[in-house]
Amino acid sequence: MVSGRPGNGELDAWFKSLMVTSSSERGQAGSGGPAPTLSGWKDLPMELLVRIISTVGDDRIVIVASGVCTGWRDALGWGVTNLSLTWCKQSMNNLMISLAHKFTKLQVLTLRQNKPQLEDSAVESVANYCHDLRELDLSRSFRLSDRSLYALAHGCPRLTRLNISGCSNFSDTALIYLTCHCKHLKCLNLCGCGKAATDRALQAIAQNCGQLQSLNLGWCDDVTDKGVTSLASGCPDLRAVDLCGCVLITDESVVALANGCPHLRSLGLYFCQNITDRAMYSLANSRVKSKCGRWDAVKDGLANLNISQCTALTPPAVQAVCDSFPALHTCPERHSLIISGCLSLTSVHCACALHPHRAARALMANHAY
């Protein structure tokens, strides 16, 4: 946590080091009157102050500067839209409470923690003051309860990205309430939120968040085909879906995503051991169906697929997927088809692996830019 503040002497020395030309050097202003003079650091225009502070690239400096004087506090509160407190190793909760009312124009806020510090009171402060917030990272906030989600639902309806991975205390009731108010969500990370990510919650997401593009349901082991099929029909713009560790899902989920989400680029099925060849062939066939319209297999097709530990799959089915989507690679340079733990699939290869010279040429083309 930041402590102390720079003294006036240090600030004066810093100001003098700036290349600020005095009015005598610039002569008379175009209007005929004297040009304005910056006599000290407190006279810096708000826009210039914000630009100087932003170039430092350290949010600790922003926080210290906001406590220098009322003018700087107001200027930074007006100009700062992105703030991260991930560097704070202790007392993040109190720090956030003290800052929320200063930075009311925040659009991106990162409160990721290595050890739990954040409590509901801090999130409530954010919701009370930061009504324009678009992106919020609360990952690993183990102390948070449903109070936080209810507060965000009321105070931050413009959220488009929310990461609450590891927040294991949230209930599906609170998550459903959030989706009813935050209908612009495009990216939602629920990894490890087993109590919140239920089929009932996924149905609410499908009903309320039709713009959703990315959803992480990793290790939400109560999720079933019922919830995933609802998502596929209600969120057709999904591009990335992580179902790793969702042990109850079957081929029905993959078939629904293949048919309902034509823009799907990334799919995680790690340890989904109920997945069979039927799911793979449905993915391969989705490319054939999409070709009826304008479709680029490299730009628009599946580019990442994790089927590690899906031991029921056979080489022909996985090879069909790999052949259908040129962006899927088994070659070491661009490994995007993950099949670890599936010893029966070692014979599956992408085109680059079969033609090493083609892989080298593609790699050189990537580095050319």
Side-chain angles (χ1 to χ4, degrees):
M1 185 171 168
V2 178
S3 60
R5 65 173 65 177
N8 284 353
E10 295 175 350
L11 286 169
D12 287 335
W14 170 79
F15 177 80
K16 290 177 182 178
S17 69
L18 295 176
M19 297 180 65
V20 180
T21 306
S22 67
S23 59
S24 59
E25 293 174 321
R26 287 179 292 176
Q28 299 297 310
S31 60
T37 303
L38 298 180
S39 59
W41 49 265
K42 292 182 180 179
D43 295 327
L44 285 173
M46 288 194 302
E47 294 86 352
L48 179 57
L49 171 63
V50 172
R51 290 191 63 180
I52 291 173
I53 296 296
S54 65
T55 58
V56 176
D58 189 338
D59 287 337
R60 285 170 285 194
I61 300 298
V62 174
I63 294 170
V64 172
S66 70
V68 169
C69 64
T70 302
W72 278 33
R73 182 197 66 196
D74 294 343
L76 293 171
W78 167 81
V80 174
T81 60
N82 191 324
L83 186 66
S84 173
L85 299 186
T86 55
W87 49 266
C88 185
K89 304 305 179 185
Q90 59 182 357
S91 302
M92 181 188 288
N93 195 73
N94 292 335
L95 179 60
M96 191 65 250
I97 292 174
S98 69
L99 294 176
H101 71 281
K102 296 181 180 181
F103 298 98
T104 58
K105 300 298 182 181
L106 283 179
Q107 293 187 14
V108 181
L109 178 60
T110 304
L111 300 175
R112 189 184 306 115
Q113 306 140 78
N114 289 326
K115 62 178 183 178
Q117 304 178 57
L118 215 59
E119 298 176 2
D120 292 322
S121 54
V123 179
E124 288 170 336
S125 292
V126 170
N128 287 336
Y129 292 102
C130 307
H131 302 304
D132 200 33
L133 199 63
R134 310 299 173 89
E135 302 180 18
L136 178 61
D137 187 344
L138 297 174
S139 53
R140 299 179 61 83
S141 298
F142 305 127
R143 295 181 180 177
L144 298 184
S145 72
D146 286 351
R147 281 174 49 192
S148 291
L149 293 189
Y150 288 128
L152 291 173
H154 287 291
C156 305
R158 297 184 180 182
L159 280 174
T160 60
R161 301 175 66 95
L162 178 62
N163 185 346
I164 53 174
S165 60
C167 299
S168 53
N169 291 328
F170 292 149
S171 70
D172 61 347
T173 301
L175 181 58
I176 291 170
Y177 189 84
L178 177 83
T179 65
C180 291
H181 293 77
C182 300
K183 296 189 175 185
H184 303 292
L185 283 172
K186 291 186 176 181
C187 297
L188 182 58
N189 191 334
L190 301 174
C191 182
C193 300
K195 291 168 58 178
T198 63
D199 287 342
R200 197 166 70 99
L202 297 188
Q203 289 173 324
I205 292 172
Q207 181 177 353
N208 298 318
C209 305
Q211 302 177 50
L212 197 66
Q213 296 182 2
S214 176
L215 179 62
N216 190 331
L217 295 171
W219 307 105
C220 296
D221 47 18
D222 285 337
V223 170
T224 72
D225 292 335
K226 184 178 180 180
V228 179
T229 53
S230 296
L231 284 171
S233 62
C235 304
D237 206 27
L238 278 171
R239 279 131 162 96
V241 180
D242 194 339
L243 298 170
C244 294
C246 296
V247 295
L248 298 180
I249 68 166
T250 70
D251 294 336
E252 297 300 326
S253 291
V254 180
V255 171
L257 291 170
N259 293 332
C261 303
H263 305 293
L264 193 64
R265 295 281 287 164
S266 178
L267 180 60
L269 298 171
Y270 172 77
F271 212 75
C272 297
Q273 297 188 325
N274 294 323
I275 300 299
T276 71
D277 288 351
R278 178 175 170 239
M280 297 298 100
Y281 285 121
S282 71
L283 288 172
N285 290 336
S286 69
R287 184 259 172 110
V288 176
K289 295 175 183 177
S290 298
K291 285 183 70 176
C292 296
R294 297 184 62 185
W295 195 76
D296 187 318
V298 175
K299 294 182 178 180
D300 301 322
L302 203 60
N304 291 280
L305 178 62
N306 187 343
I307 50 175
S308 298
Q309 302 297 333
C310 296
T311 52
L313 299 177
T314 65
V318 178
Q319 188 66 59
V321 178
C322 199
D323 292 341
S324 294
F325 298 101
L328 286 177
H329 294 278
T330 58
C331 51
E333 293 85 0
R334 296 180 293 171
H335 200 193
S336 59
L337 176 59
I338 315 299
I339 55 176
S340 60
C342 301
L343 298 179
S344 64
L345 301 181
T346 54
S347 62
V348 176
H349 293 289
C350 63
C352 292
L354 294 174
H355 304 284
H357 64 282
R358 189 182 303 174
R361 188 162 60 246
L363 194 61
M364 290 177 62
N366 289 340
H367 286 301
Y369 300 95

